[in-house]
Amino acid sequence: MSTRKTFTIGSRESELALIQTTHVQNVLQLAYPDFEFPIKSMTTKGDQILNVPLYQIGEKSLFTKELETALQNNQVDLVVHSLKDLPTTLPDGMTIGAILKRENPYDAVVIKQDLNIKSLKELPKGSIIGTSSVRRTAQLKRAFPDLIFQNVRGNLNTRLRKLDDPNEPYSALILAVAGLIRLNKDDRISEILPSSIILHAVGQGALAVECRTNDEEVIKLLSVLEDEDTKLCCTAERSLLRILEGGCSVPIGANTEFIKSKNGKRELKLIGVVAKLDGSEIIKAEALKNVDIVDDNDSDKVDAANELGKEVARILMKKGAGNILQELKNKSTNS
C-alpha cells in the first residue's frame, strides 16, 4: 500500500472531461513525482438531463454542482472544469486555483460525412444545423438566416454519431474547436468560424482547476498549471459575464486578444456581444485596457482585466443588452 501523499482530482465522467482531467493529472504528476493524483469521476445534472435545451433548465451550475459538493465534503481535493461551464460566482469557500493555457477558443462547423460541402454558406436553404447553444444559434441566425438551427444534446461523440446517422436530420453541427482537438477529432472540422461571424463562449477553450480557498497546499501545487495570458483573457471575459448575470446557456459571446500599443505596452482588447435568440438584434461593444502593469504585480493585472470586463458590460447595457437578457429570462421562466 502506497504511503505517498495523495491529492484526489474530481472530474465529470464524459470522455472529453476525463481526457482534460488526465492532462492536468499528468502535468501535476510530472511536477510532483512524490505525490499521487488519482481521479474520481462522477456525473452531473447537465449530463443527465439531455432532452431539454440548456437555457430552459434555468440553472447555472449544471455541469459543476456535484463536483463542487464533493470538494466541499473533502471527497476530492481539486476539480477540473471546462472554464466555460464554471459559473462566474463560485460557492463560498471555493476558488479557481489555476487556469491552464487556452486551446483554440473558436467554434467549428462539422458537416455530415457524406456531404461534399466544406462551409455553412454552401449548405442548401433549410438545412438543419445541430447545436445546444443559444449563443451560437442567436449569432448564426443573423449570418445564415436560411439555415435551421435545432437543439442537439449529448457528449461530443454522441452528437457526432447523431450527425452521421442517415436517419437523423442534421446536415452539420457547431462544436468547440478545443473539444474536437482534445478528442483527436479535429480531422472532422470543415470550417472554423471567425470572430467576425460569431464570438465564442466566455472561457471557451480553457481549463480551470477549482479548489478550496483555505487549502493553501493545493493552491501552491496548482501554480505550475497557471498560464498568465489565458488567466487575464478569461478574467476579463468572466467579469463581463458576471455583470450581465448570464450563465453558459445565454446568448452572450466574447473575444479577447492582446494588442501592442504605440508605446510598446500590451493592451488587452475585449469584444462582447449579446444577441436575441432569433438573431434579429445583436448588440456589440469593445474596449481596451493596459495589462502590462508596472512591477509585474499579478493582482494589479487581474484587477485591470476585471475592470475591462465591467467596462464592456456597462457599454452593452447602455446599448440595450439588458432588455434582451430579461426577455430570455422571462421565456425560460415561462417554459
Side-chain angles (χ1 to χ4, degrees):
M1 184 175 179
S2 174
T3 58
R4 296 197 299 173
K5 192 158 189 176
T6 297
F7 298 91
T8 303
I9 309 174
S11 172
R12 288 168 62 193
E13 286 185 344
S14 75
E15 182 183 358
L16 178 58
L18 287 171
I19 285 172
Q20 294 173 166
T21 302
T22 300
H23 170 66
V24 170
Q25 178 193 47
N26 290 340
V27 175
L28 289 172
Q29 194 67 75
L30 189 63
Y32 308 106
D34 294 333
F35 299 153
E36 290 188 349
F37 300 93
I39 295 172
K40 180 181 177 66
S41 62
M42 59 198 78
T43 59
T44 65
K45 186 175 181 180
D47 297 313
Q48 295 162 359
I49 303 176
L50 298 176
N51 60 343
V52 181
L54 289 174
Y55 81 94
Q56 289 184 3
I57 300 174
E59 188 175 324
K60 294 179 183 178
S61 55
L62 282 174
F63 298 103
T64 61
K65 188 173 182 180
E66 289 78 4
L67 293 161
E68 289 175 329
T69 298
L71 195 55
Q72 288 171 326
N73 294 338
N74 297 309
Q75 294 172 304
V76 298
D77 300 292
L78 53 140
V79 172
V80 179
H81 302 284
S82 291
L83 184 56
K84 68 181 179 63
D85 295 332
L86 192 60
T88 55
T89 301
L90 303 183
D92 289 342
M94 301 293 125
T95 188
I96 295 177
I99 297 176
L100 284 74
K101 185 175 178 62
R102 191 177 216 166
E103 185 51 87
N104 187 318
Y106 291 99
D107 290 309
V109 179
V110 178
I111 293 176
K112 206 177 197 79
Q113 283 185 318
D114 60 0
L115 295 180
N116 189 26
I117 288 173
K118 289 296 181 184
S119 66
L120 285 182
K121 67 181 180 183
E122 295 178 62
L123 287 168
K125 183 177 180 178
S127 294
I128 295 175
I129 314 302
T131 174
S132 60
S133 164
V134 294
R135 170 191 59 82
R136 290 170 177 151
T137 298
Q139 293 181 75
L140 291 175
K141 274 185 176 180
R142 180 84 164 194
F144 303 97
D146 292 335
L147 299 179
I148 297 170
F149 294 87
Q150 190 169 301
N151 185 63
V152 59
R153 293 288 312 281
N155 63 43
L156 196 146
N157 281 322
T158 298
R159 281 179 276 173
L160 287 172
R161 282 195 296 271
K162 288 181 179 179
L163 171 67
D164 294 329
D165 186 338
N167 296 315
E168 292 283 354
Y170 309 106
S171 295
L173 300 177
I174 311 298
L175 300 167
V177 173
L180 289 162
I181 290 174
R182 288 173 181 143
L183 277 174
N184 291 319
K185 301 281 189 183
D186 45 312
D187 61 315
R188 293 298 310 270
I189 295 174
S190 306
E191 175 186 19
I192 295 178
L193 296 168
S195 58
S196 57
I197 290 179
I198 181 172
L199 298 191
H200 58 70
V202 165
Q204 187 161 306
L207 301 180
V209 185
E210 188 177 14
C211 62
R212 293 179 288 272
T213 307
N214 62 0
D215 197 337
E216 294 180 7
E217 186 176 16
V218 168
I219 290 173
K220 187 175 180 180
L221 288 176
L222 296 180
S223 64
V224 300
L225 300 168
E226 189 90 275
D227 181 78
E228 183 180 74
D229 282 1
T230 302
K231 178 181 180 179
L232 293 175
C233 287
C234 292
T235 294
E237 293 172 16
R238 285 171 63 79
S239 176
L240 163 74
L241 189 60
R242 189 180 298 112
I243 296 297
L244 297 176
E245 296 185 338
C248 66
S249 55
V250 292
I252 297 171
N255 191 71
T256 45
E257 62 176 318
F258 287 96
I259 295 174
K260 277 282 182 74
S261 62
K262 291 179 181 178
N263 61 7
K265 296 284 188 181
R266 286 195 316 166
E267 291 183 310
L268 183 59
K269 179 182 180 181
L270 170 63
I271 305 173
V273 65
V274 176
K276 280 194 173 182
L277 285 181
D278 61 3
S280 62
E281 185 179 3
I282 289 182
I283 299 174
K284 272 188 179 182
E286 64 179 72
L288 288 165
K289 199 83 172 178
N290 175 24
V291 291
D292 273 352
I293 307 297
V294 178
D295 298 329
D296 202 38
N297 188 309
D298 181 64
S299 63
D300 286 347
K301 291 182 178 183
V302 171
D303 288 345
N306 263 314
E307 283 304 314
L308 175 60
K310 291 176 184 178
E311 183 179 348
V312 174
R314 285 192 290 265
I315 297 170
L316 285 168
M317 293 298 279
K318 284 181 181 178
K319 289 185 171 183
N323 296 331
I324 294 176
L325 294 173
Q326 186 59 49
E327 183 181 316
L328 180 65
K329 188 176 180 181
N330 293 340
K331 281 185 179 180
S332 177
T333 302
N334 296 328
S335 59

